[in-house]
Amino acid sequence: MTPVELSRTVRRAVRRAVDSGELSVAVPERVVVTPPRPGGCGDYASNVALQLARPAGQPALRVAEVLCGHLLRVEGIREVSVTGPGFINISLRGGSDAGAAGLVDRILRSGAAYGRAEADGSPSQSRVVHLRAACEVRAVVVADVLARLLRAQGAAVSTSCAGEPSAAWGDVFGARLDSHGASTAPPRTDTVTVRPLPAPADPLPLGRDAGRWALLSPAGHDRARISADPHLVQRESNPLFRVRYAHARTRALTRNAADLGFHAEPGAVGGAQAEVVVGLLADYPRILGRAAELRAPDVLARHLVGVADAVTPFLAGVLPVGEEKPSAAHRARLALAEAAGTVLAGGLSLLGIDAPDHL
């Protein structure tokens, strides 16, 4: 069971508790599950009971106990316990190795769709958002990406620009909004004004990918750095280069493994490096939700840099060395590398940036 599946499982447990009359509360749109904090136990933990306690009119510990009863009936969950003021700790059948292998398998099967909301009947599917961008290049590019992020969370999105945007912004950056001029937001729509700190210089000379990264990677209240260095240099000081390099390395490993006669197969992968990579991949769906919620593409950009920096040193041990024969461990490491590449490519796609297989 992957973190995304577990999140939906916990949400369904809340719904069952509401349907049975044990809880009187609105079912949340999404439930966050994370690795347990110090003092916790199991494979994953959730603070959903703490969030529901006040609206339910019951102590958090009582809410947690109710949800534990429903979760224990779920196939794939081995144990559920409550720690602290009401944190729910969940242990999966097969332990953390099986959970990591399941996560990698889910990512490889889902491809670019991993981490994005699916039409599961949740209230978010009926949410309508209108993004109103200032007539400025950074605002238009940010609005374009926010629309992608919100749609990935299941929202219906329309976009407009306060003035007529430059045609070059669409031609070079691929940033096109639905309309410009007078606002065209339909009734009962959440209207969000997109007005980051304007770009201090013209980003068009940087081109699509470097220009988008320069505009999107800083927080909206921070000044964007518009310069060839670091955005166009092919070295480690350039975060976008590190992300794309890590992605290209994962694709090269897949080609090299095929030449050696083996392919990826999710399985147990030991070691601290792998553990860090798995944790970052598991957190990716939450990051997408957070970036959409905060209207902050920089949250996603920073996470992609974190994934790239974590997976790059891991990649050196994926292939057999010398006379070593490909084993189950090599196949599992290759699967984890491919999963990381999938997340990097999917995240860059949401930012409107290309992820080349060769670099």
Side-chain angles (χ1 to χ4, degrees), residues 250-328:
T250 66
R251 296 298 183 252
L253 287 173
T254 299
R255 296 191 297 270
N256 294 338
D259 291 339
L260 295 173
F262 76 100
H263 60 274
E265 185 176 319
V269 181
Q273 288 180 335
E275 185 177 344
V276 172
V277 174
V278 168
L280 290 168
L281 300 186
D283 202 32
Y284 179 69
R286 183 189 69 83
I287 291 295
L288 292 185
R290 189 72 172 159
E293 178 186 358
L294 298 179
R295 317 289 190 255
D298 58 288
V299 171
L300 172 57
R302 284 194 299 274
H303 189 73
L304 295 180
V305 174
V307 173
D309 290 346
V311 78
T312 297
F314 168 79
L315 299 179
V318 169
L319 297 179
V321 177
E323 299 300 318
E324 191 178 10
K325 300 297 183 182
S327 65

Side-chain angles (χ1 to χ4, degrees), residues 170-188:
D171 295 340
V172 175
F173 294 136
R176 294 181 173 85
L177 305 184
D178 298 331
S179 62
H180 65 269
S183 178
T184 57
R188 295 185 297 278

Side-chain angles (χ1 to χ4, degrees), residues 339-357:
T342 297
V343 165
L344 292 173
L348 287 174
S349 174
L350 286 171
L351 296 177
I353 296 174
D354 185 39
D357 289 350

Side-chain angles (χ1 to χ4, degrees), residues 74-315:
V74 175
E75 183 179 358
I77 292 180
R78 175 172 55 84
E79 184 179 356
V80 184
S81 61
V82 180
T83 58
F87 291 102
I88 298 175
N89 297 269
I90 303 169
S91 298
L92 303 178
R93 295 190 184 279
S96 58
D97 282 346
L103 170 68
V104 170
D105 182 66
R106 174 63 182 272
I107 294 172
L108 296 181
R109 290 178 182 274
S110 301
Y114 170 66
R116 307 185 187 190
E118 298 175 1
D120 61 355
S122 66
S124 63
Q125 300 303 315
S126 59
R127 186 179 181 195
V128 181
V129 180
H130 180 77
L131 301 173
R132 178 73 168 168
C135 190
E136 186 273 330
V137 60
R138 189 180 184 191
V140 170
V141 171
V142 169
D144 172 74
V145 173
L146 288 180
R148 297 167 187 246
L149 289 168
L150 286 164
R151 287 171 183 140
Q153 294 300 304
V157 184
S158 61
T159 58
S160 66
C161 185
E164 183 174 3
S166 167
W169 302 347
D171 295 340
V172 175
F173 294 136
R176 294 181 173 85
L177 305 184
D178 298 331
S179 62
H180 65 269
S183 178
T184 57
R188 295 185 297 278
T189 298
D190 294 336
T191 299
V192 177
T193 300
V194 181
R195 190 184 295 273
L197 199 64
D202 183 8
L204 291 173
L206 295 178
R208 174 173 176 134
D209 292 335
R212 273 183 169 264
W213 185 268
L215 297 172
L216 296 167
S217 57
H221 55 77
D222 289 337
R223 180 185 175 93
R225 184 178 178 184
I226 309 299
S227 60
D229 187 358
H231 298 300
L232 294 179
V233 298
Q234 303 288 299
R235 58 173 180 249
E236 289 186 3
S237 61
N238 180 355
L240 177 58
F241 170 74
R242 299 205 305 271
V243 173
R244 298 173 82 181
Y245 174 77
H247 169 264
R249 281 284 309 279
T250 66
R251 296 298 183 252
L253 287 173
T254 299
R255 296 191 297 270
N256 294 338
D259 291 339
L260 295 173
F262 76 100
H263 60 274
E265 185 176 319
V269 181
Q273 288 180 335
E275 185 177 344
V276 172
V277 174
V278 168
L280 290 168
L281 300 186
D283 202 32
Y284 179 69
R286 183 189 69 83
I287 291 295
L288 292 185
R290 189 72 172 159
E293 178 186 358
L294 298 179
R295 317 289 190 255
D298 58 288
V299 171
L300 172 57
R302 284 194 299 274
H303 189 73
L304 295 180
V305 174
V307 173
D309 290 346
V311 78
T312 297
F314 168 79
L315 299 179

